[in-house]
């Protein structure tokens, strides 16, 4: 689920979703606002494979675990190396 595989397309892998989240974190944002941005970014023709909220949260968890993001005062903040 973290990486694409034979049965998991690249666009549904958590690493790919996390990579799509990071550029949207140029400033601090709430989880719900970030979710709305991500949901709007999915093209309408991909509706059957649209991003689900639980997958979005798992991708955020992965980013937190690898130290790429931090949650501070209810806002998601991108960590700088």
């Amino acid at each position: 689920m973290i990486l694409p595989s034979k049965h998991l397309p690249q666009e549904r892998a958590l690493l790919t979703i996390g990579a799509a989240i990071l550029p949207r974190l140029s400033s601090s944002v709430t989880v719900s606002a970030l979710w709305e941005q991500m949901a709007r970014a999915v093209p309408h023709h991909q509706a059957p494979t649209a991003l689900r909220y639980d997958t979005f949260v798992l991708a955020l968890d992965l980013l937190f675990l690898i130290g790429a993001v931090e949650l501070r005062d209810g806002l998601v903040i991108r960590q700088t190396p």
Side-chain angles (χ1 to χ4, degrees):
M1 187 156 192
I2 294 172
L3 296 171
S5 68
K6 180 178 178 179
H7 302 288
L8 183 70
Q10 181 177 352
E11 63 272 1
R12 304 235 5 217
L14 295 181
L15 203 57
T16 304
I17 297 168
I21 290 172
L22 285 176
R24 291 172 169 76
L25 292 174
S26 56
S27 62
S28 304
V29 66
T30 63
V31 173
S32 59
L34 186 57
W35 163 246
E36 289 175 13
Q37 289 178 22
M38 290 296 294
R40 281 195 309 261
V42 175
H44 293 293
H45 69 275
Q46 290 184 347
T49 61
L51 179 63
R52 294 180 0 185
Y53 186 73
D54 60 337
T55 307
F56 165 75
V57 171
L58 287 173
L60 266 181
D61 288 344
L62 175 66
L63 291 175
F64 177 78
L65 287 172
I66 64 173
V69 299
E70 180 180 326
L71 185 65
R72 192 180 312 149
D73 297 327
L75 298 174
V76 180
I77 301 167
R78 183 176 181 171
Q79 294 291 88
T80 55

